[in-house]
Amino acid sequence: MPPRDPPLVEREGDLASLVAALARPPAVVVVEGEPGAGKTRLVREALAAPGLEGRQPLVGHSRPTLASCPLGPVIEALATASRPPVRPLSALAGVLRTVLPELAGILPPAPPPVPEPQLVRHRLVRASAELLAKLGPTILVLEDVQWGDAATVELLRMIGARPPPELSVVITCEPPAALPELGLATTRLSIPPLSPAGTGRLAGAILGDPETVLPPGLADLLHERGGGVPFVVREDVRTLRQRDLLRPVNGAWTLGPGAETAVPPAVGAGIAARLRSLDATCTAVLEAAAVLAGSAEPGLVAKVAGLSTGRTCAALGDAMRRGLMRDHGPDGGAVRFRHELARLAVYESVPGYRRRELHALAAQVLTSAGGALRVRAVDHHRRAGDLRAWAASAETAAEAALAAGAFGTAHSWLRDVLQTGAVAPGRRAEVAIKLGRAALGTADPDGTASGLLAEAAGSETASPEQRAELHLLRLWSALESDGPAAGAATALRDALGGLTGRPDLRAIAHALLATPTRLPDLDLPAQKAHLDRARAALAETADPMAHAVVRTATAHLLLATGGPEGWAAARAVPVHGDRPEIERRLARGLLDLAEAALHLGHYTRGLDLAERARRPAAGAPSPILDARLGAVVARIRWTTGDSGAEEDVSVLSGDPFAAGLPNLRLLSAQIDAGQGRLDAARRTLRAVAGEARETGDLAVAAQAAAEFNRVALTLEQRRLGHALARQVLDDIARKGVWVWAAPLLPFAPLDLVREVLPRYRGAVADRDAPLARAALGFAEARMSERYGDAAWAAAGYRRARRGYAVLPDPRLAAHACACEARARISAGQVPDAEPLRHAWSTFTGLGAVWDANRLKQTMRAAGLPVPHRRGRPGYGNQLSPREREIAVLAASGHTNRDIAAGLYLSDRTVKYHLANAMRKLGVSSRRQLGDVLEPADRTDHTCRCGRCGRELNLS
C-alpha cells in the first residue's frame, strides 16, 4: 500500500472555503469535526495552498495534560516562529522570555515581576497578543481547543476584540465545543463523515491498486465499520490488508473470514483511552450496549446493565458528548455506537466471564420483550453457552423469519440447530422439514442442507409422509439452487406413496418431476405423464403454492420443448403472490421461461419474461435468483449483439452467487473465444459441457459443446470435440427435446450432423423455435457443401444468415455469411461484397478479434481488400458506453431500480456501473452528475439494443 497520505476525499469545498478565508486577514476560522474527521489534514493542506505563500504558519496543540499551563498551545506555536517581528516590541513583550527561551534573541529584556498570579497571566496574554500582531503576515493554528486553558480563551477574545490586520487564526475542535464569542466575524466549517461512496474512494486510494475493483457493497461495509471517519477508515483498511483479511479475488477486493471482528490497534487504543476517562456507571452502560450490538432503546440497555433508566440515559448522554455513541432511528428513540469498530473495541475490553453474563441477561431481556426482539435473543443464548435455550429460540425465530420471507436467515439457524444435535430424535424430521422450506432458493454449495434432509428422511422416527416431504424438499431445493437433483428425484419417486393423503404436496412433487431442464434420467414422455398427474392432484387442493408450482411447471415444460401452446401458458403465469415463498416460486418460474425463450431464439420475449420475473423477485429478495437473472439477461443481450453485455459479465463475475453459474461461465468462455483466448475458452467450455450434462441442463451443454468444436484446431482437440458433441446429442436423443440441439448443428462434426439430421428435421418441424429453424438451414447447407453441391449450399447459408439476422443473432449471421462466401467461391461464383463487409464489421464491432482474423482469408479469396481491424476501445478514465448510459439516466432522476428494469440489468450491476461513473467524473452525488455530463448526453435516451425495435422508456 502507498505509504503516503491518501488524497483528500469529499473535502474539496471545505478546503476551498478555508483557503479563501485565510487569504483575507484578519480572519478567524473554526473547523469542527469528530476525532479522525481530518481537521488537521485539512488545515495542513490549506497552509500549503497557492495564495497563502509568505504567511508564517504557527501551529500549537491543546492537550488535557496542559489544561493547567497558561497559554500552552499559544506558547508552543510561538516557539516555532522563524522570523523576527516586523515592528518593534514594547517592554511588555519581555515577560515572554521565561516561557519562550527560543525567542530570546528577538524579545526585549524582562520587565520587573509582579506578585499577583492573575496579573502574571494577564501580562502573558497581552504580550502574546502583541507578538502575534507584530510578526507580519501570520497564520496561527490552535488545534483541539476544546482542551484549551482559560488564558488561551482570554487571548482569543483579545484578538477578536482588536484583530491584528495581518493575522489569521484557525481553531480546530470537537463538537460540541463551548467556544468564546470572539467579536470578529467567524467562519465555521463543520467536517462531516464521508459518504459510503467517499469511503470507497478513500479505501481504493489507500490500497493503491488501480487494477483491482472495490465493489460498492464492500465500500458500504467499510463505511458501516468506520462510520465514514477518514482516520478510522484508513487504519481499518491498512489493518485488514496487512492481516490478509482484505484480499484481491478475481480482480475485486474481498473480505475474508475473521474480518468482521478485526479492530485496528490505533482505533482500539483510542477507544480504550476514552473508556479510562469514564466513571463506572458509564462504562457499564457502554459494555451493555456493546453486547446488545446494533441499535437499542435506552430501556433495554438499562435492563442489561442493571441500572435505572435515568442513570443509563445520563451515562449515554455523556458517551454521546465524548463521540462514542449517537442517536439512531427516525425519532432518536434508540442509540448505537458511533461506528461498528468502536463497538467491537468496547466489546473486546469486557472480560470473557462478564461477556457471558451480559449475553445471558440480554437473551432474557429480549425474550421477555417479545415481538421482533425475540429474534435477537438467539445469538445471545448461543454466546451465553445455553445450548437448549438457543435451539428453542432459534427454531422460533426461524419460523418468524420464514413468515417474513427471510429464508436465508431461517436456513442458517435451522441448519445450525440440526448440525449441533440440539433437537430430540423424535423431532428431527419436523425441524428438517422447516429447514427444507427455508432452503428453497438459498445457497447450499457444500450440500449440507441436502445431507441433513436425507439423514432425517432415513430416520426410523420419520413417518412415510415426512419421508416423502423431505425428499420432495430435497429435490425442490436442488432445482431452485441449481444443485445436483438426480438423486433426490429418484428418492422422491420411490417415496411418492407417502403423499396419498396430501394432494397439495403430491401436485408439487409431480410438477417438480416434470422439470424439463434438470432431470437427465427422465425422458419427455415420462415428464409429460408426471405433469398430467400434477394437474389431477391439483383438482383436489386449493393450496396457492401448489397452484403456483403446477402453473409454472406446465408453462416451463411446454415452452422449453418449443410447443406453440407454451406462450399461452407463459402468459397465464401471474407476477404476484400472497406470500413471499409464492412470490419467489413465481419469479423462479418466470426466469425458467426466460431461459427457455433464449434457447428457442425468442430473445425479445425472453427479455420480457425476465422483466416480469423481477416483479415477484422484488417481493422475496434472493441473491441466487438475482444472480441467475443477471446471467440469463447477459446471455440474451450478448447474443443479440449488445456490446455493453461484456461489461455486465465482468460485474457478475465478481458476484459469489453468479460466478459459478453455467450460463455465466459459458458466456465468459464465448467472450474469451471471440477475443482469441482459446486455451482458457476450451478449458471452460469442456468443463461447462460436462457439468451441464450431469445436471441435465442439456441446452447449455449443447451450446458449450458447439463452441468447443468451433474453436477446436488440433487433431486432439477435434477428437475431444467430437466425443463431447456425441455425448450431448445422445443425451438429447434420450430426452427427446431436439430444439436444444440447435447450437450444435452449425459446428458439430459432419458425421454426427448427418446422423441426427433426419430426426432433428422431423422433431422441430412443428416447433415454435426460430433458432432451431435457422440451425436446420445451416446444417442442410453444410451437408450440401459436403456432397459437392456448392451452389445449393450457398443458397442454404444465405437463408440461414437471414434467419439468424431476424432473431437477431449477429455473430451466427456473420458465421453463415462467411460460409456462404466460401461456398460461392467453390461454385465459381463471386461472393457479395456487402454481406462480407458487414460480417467483418460485426466481428470487429463486437470485439470478436479471432473470428475477424479468420474472416480475412475468405475476404482475400473473394478478392476484397482486408480492412484494418479497429478493435474495441479501452476506456481508462473515460466513461464506457454502459457507464454513460446509466449515468445519464441517474442524472435524469431515475432510481437504480428504474434503470435496472429499463435496461434489463440487476440492481447490483446498475449500482456498480454508477459508482464507476461517479468516480471517473469526480462527483459524489447523483445531483452533481447533471452538472458534469455533456449537454448532448442529456437528450432523450434510446436503448442500444434498439435493433430489436424496443425503445427504452423510463419516463
Side-chain angles (χ1 to χ4, degrees):
M1 293 179 294
R4 62 185 184 279
D5 284 336
L8 284 178
V9 175
E10 296 184 345
R11 300 287 187 260
E12 295 82 359
D14 296 319
L15 179 60
S17 298
L18 179 56
V19 172
L22 296 179
R24 297 190 298 271
V28 176
V29 184
V30 178
V31 181
E32 293 181 325
E34 61 183 299
K39 305 182 293 294
T40 299
R41 173 73 186 283
L42 183 71
V43 172
R44 189 169 75 241
E45 294 287 337
L47 294 178
L52 297 183
E53 302 93 340
R55 292 172 171 80
Q56 179 177 208
L58 306 176
V59 182
H61 298 79
S62 299
R63 299 177 180 86
T65 55
L66 297 178
S68 60
C69 300
L71 294 174
V74 179
I75 291 170
E76 179 184 330
L78 288 172
T80 63
S82 58
R83 58 192 183 198
V86 297
R87 292 184 294 278
L89 297 171
S90 69
L92 177 65
V95 300
L96 295 175
R97 279 181 170 271
T98 58
V99 295
L100 286 171
E102 299 92 339
L103 302 184
I106 63 173
L107 294 173
V114 292
E116 294 82 359
Q118 291 183 344
L119 288 177
V120 172
R121 190 184 77 175
H122 184 63
R123 291 172 75 181
L124 284 173
V125 172
R126 288 178 55 207
S128 299
E130 179 187 354
L131 180 57
L132 286 169
K134 294 181 178 180
L135 282 176
T138 300
I139 299 175
L140 173 65
V141 179
L142 300 180
E143 296 265 23
D144 296 321
V145 174
Q146 72 273 6
W147 304 114
D149 60 281
T152 299
V153 173
E154 184 179 344
L155 173 67
L156 290 174
R157 285 201 184 99
M158 187 174 293
I159 290 174
R162 294 187 297 276
E166 296 180 299
L167 177 66
S168 296
V169 180
V170 181
I171 299 169
T172 71
C173 61
E174 297 177 15
L179 296 178
E181 290 295 332
L182 301 179
L184 182 67
T186 303
T187 300
R188 287 185 176 268
L189 298 177
S190 181
I191 308 301
L194 300 177
S195 67
T199 299
R201 289 170 53 196
L202 178 60
I206 294 169
L207 292 167
D209 185 358
E211 301 299 323
T212 307
V213 175
L214 190 76
L218 178 55
D220 293 342
L221 184 58
L222 292 173
H223 183 268
E224 175 70 17
R225 284 172 59 85
V229 180
F231 168 77
V232 179
V233 173
R234 184 191 69 195
E235 293 300 314
D236 191 26
V237 171
R238 287 180 172 170
T239 299
L240 292 172
R241 187 72 188 101
Q242 288 164 358
R243 297 179 184 177
D244 199 31
L245 299 175
L246 180 61
R247 62 189 71 157
V249 177
N250 295 328
W253 292 105
T254 304
L255 285 180
E260 63 278 1
T261 59
V263 178
V267 176
I271 299 297
R274 295 197 206 185
L275 288 176
R276 287 193 292 271
S277 68
L278 302 175
D279 60 25
T281 299
C282 194
T283 300
V285 168
L286 287 177
E287 289 176 352
V291 166
L292 281 168
S295 62
E297 296 177 358
L300 290 176
V301 178
K303 291 178 180 178
V304 176
L307 299 168
S308 68
T309 303
R311 293 179 66 189
T312 299
C313 288
L316 289 172
D318 189 20
M320 289 180 189
R321 286 188 292 275
R322 295 173 185 265
L324 288 166
M325 303 289 289
R326 61 184 173 90
D327 285 330
H328 185 67
D331 57 355
V335 293
R336 72 182 305 162
F337 279 87
R338 174 65 189 83
H339 46 73
E340 177 62 11
L341 289 176
R343 187 196 72 81
L344 287 171
V346 174
Y347 184 82
E348 289 183 355
S349 71
V350 183
Y353 72 91
R354 177 61 178 159
R355 281 188 215 164
R356 288 190 292 274
E357 290 179 359
L358 289 173
H359 278 299
L361 283 169
Q364 180 182 348
V365 169
L366 292 170
T367 301
S368 61
L373 292 177
R374 290 176 63 93
V375 175
R376 294 176 56 183
V378 177
D379 189 56
H380 293 291
H381 280 302
R382 182 177 61 82
R383 291 177 181 269
D386 190 343
L387 187 63
R388 186 180 298 275
W390 164 73
S393 63
E395 187 177 347
T396 301
E399 292 173 354
L402 278 174
F407 299 95
T409 302
H411 177 271
S412 176
W413 279 329
L414 292 168
R415 180 197 60 208
D416 291 348
V417 166
L418 287 170
Q419 280 185 308
T420 55
V423 180
R427 294 195 63 248
R428 283 190 69 83
E430 178 186 345
V431 177
I433 287 173
K434 295 177 183 178
L435 170 64
R437 295 193 176 278
L440 300 179
T442 56
D444 187 27
D446 55 359
T448 301
S450 179
L452 290 170
L453 295 179
E455 177 195 344
S459 170
E460 294 180 356
T461 60
S463 68
E465 182 179 307
Q466 286 178 323
R467 289 194 186 95
E469 185 170 2
L470 286 166
H471 288 309
L472 183 156
L473 291 170
R474 275 185 66 206
L475 174 60
W476 198 350
S477 175
L479 294 174
E480 292 282 324
S481 60
D482 296 318
T490 300
L492 175 58
R493 280 184 288 169
D494 294 340
L496 278 172
L499 299 178
T500 303
R502 291 292 303 274
D504 55 337
L505 295 182
R506 200 165 68 251
I508 292 173
H510 285 296
L512 295 178
L513 290 170
T515 302
T517 55
R518 300 298 316 287
L519 302 174
D521 295 335
L522 287 171
D523 59 21
L524 188 56
Q527 293 192 297
K528 288 181 176 178
H530 278 297
L531 188 59
D532 290 338
R533 296 186 190 106
R535 290 167 170 170
L538 195 64
E540 304 175 33
T541 178
D543 179 62
M545 176 59 83
H547 280 263
V549 173
V550 174
R551 184 172 288 184
T552 54
T554 301
H556 189 199
L557 185 64
L558 294 175
L559 193 62
T561 56
E565 66 275 23
W567 292 109
R571 287 190 293 271
V573 175
V575 295
H576 291 297
D578 58 358
R579 299 199 306 266
E581 59 267 30
I582 296 178
E583 295 255 277
R584 179 168 293 184
R585 176 60 225 176
L586 293 174
R588 173 66 192 227
L590 288 165
L591 184 52
D592 286 336
L593 299 180
E595 188 167 3
L598 161 66
H599 298 147
L600 295 174
H602 286 293
Y603 302 130
T604 301
R605 286 180 170 185
L607 290 176
D608 288 339
L609 287 164
E611 178 56 28
R612 288 182 63 196
R614 291 186 193 279
R615 299 174 202 170
S622 165
I624 292 178
L625 195 59
D626 289 343
R628 186 164 175 256
L629 179 62
V632 171
V633 169
R635 267 200 68 193
I636 296 176
R637 297 185 71 127
W638 183 85
T639 302
T640 58
D642 184 351
S643 59
E646 290 189 22
E647 294 180 61
D648 302 337
V649 171
S650 66
V651 177
L652 287 167
S653 297
D655 181 348
F657 293 102
L661 292 177
N663 267 314
L664 190 66
R665 294 170 62 205
L666 168 61
L667 183 50
S668 298
Q670 289 178 289
I671 293 171
D672 283 342
Q675 295 178 357
R677 297 186 290 271
L678 300 186
D679 289 339
R682 282 189 287 262
R683 283 194 301 270
T684 304
L685 290 168
R686 188 179 179 188
V688 168
E691 293 167 14
R693 285 188 60 235
E694 291 179 6
T695 60
D697 203 347
L698 299 182
V700 172
Q703 183 71 67
E707 287 290 321
F708 187 95
N709 277 275
R710 190 175 73 81
V711 296
L713 303 180
T714 67
L715 180 60
E716 180 60 27
Q717 290 164 5
R718 288 173 184 155
R719 286 174 178 167
L720 287 173
H722 189 285
L724 200 57
R726 163 70 74 184
Q727 292 166 349
V728 174
L729 287 171
D730 287 346
D731 291 341
I732 290 175
R734 282 191 296 271
K735 191 75 173 181
V737 187
W738 281 101
V739 292
W740 293 342
L744 269 168
L745 295 192
F747 304 111
L750 272 173
D751 63 315
L752 297 179
V753 174
R754 181 178 63 249
E755 181 180 325
V756 302
L757 193 55
R759 296 178 64 187
Y760 179 88
R761 185 185 294 111
V764 305
D766 61 344
R767 301 289 89 186
D768 183 8
L771 179 62
R773 288 195 299 274
L776 176 60
F778 203 122
E780 289 176 335
R782 291 182 70 194
M783 296 308 299
S784 297
E785 186 177 14
R786 172 67 177 82
Y787 289 111
D789 195 343
W792 188 262
Y797 285 129
R798 182 169 61 254
R799 287 191 297 271
R801 168 167 59 87
R802 291 170 178 170
Y804 285 124
V806 169
L807 296 180
D809 189 333
R811 290 176 180 83
L812 280 176
H815 285 302
C817 179
C819 293
E820 177 190 354
R822 186 185 64 231
R824 282 182 171 274
I825 293 170
S826 298
Q829 301 173 2
V830 178
D832 293 337
E834 189 54 36
L836 273 175
R837 292 193 186 99
H838 182 71
W840 170 269
S841 300
T842 296
F843 285 140
T844 55
L846 297 176
V849 181
W850 185 70
D851 295 305
N853 287 336
R854 295 186 76 193
L855 189 60
K856 286 181 180 180
Q857 301 175 10
T858 304
M859 296 182 75
R860 290 192 183 100
L864 296 176
V866 178
H868 295 291
R869 182 177 59 82
R870 294 171 298 172
R872 179 162 297 172
Y875 300 109
N877 290 324
Q878 302 298 314
L879 296 187
S880 70
R882 179 73 86 212
E883 290 165 352
R884 183 171 300 280
E885 186 173 40
I886 289 173
V888 169
L889 293 170
S892 302
H894 298 294
T895 66
N896 285 5
R897 179 167 293 183
D898 292 337
I899 299 170
L903 296 180
Y904 298 104
L905 302 175
S906 68
D907 289 350
R908 184 196 301 268
T909 301
V910 170
K911 188 175 182 181
Y912 176 86
H913 287 310
L914 183 58
N916 278 347
M918 294 172 73
R919 175 180 56 79
K920 291 180 180 181
L921 294 172
V923 300
S924 58
S925 70
R926 300 166 85 98
R927 182 175 299 176
Q928 293 173 328
L929 280 173
D931 298 330
V932 298
L933 289 170
E934 295 296 329
D937 293 326
R938 299 195 295 271
T939 57
D940 292 338
H941 177 76
T942 300
C943 178
R944 286 184 287 108
C945 64
R947 62 177 61 85
C948 62
R950 296 178 52 83
E951 184 170 310
L952 183 65
N953 181 9
L954 295 179
S955 59

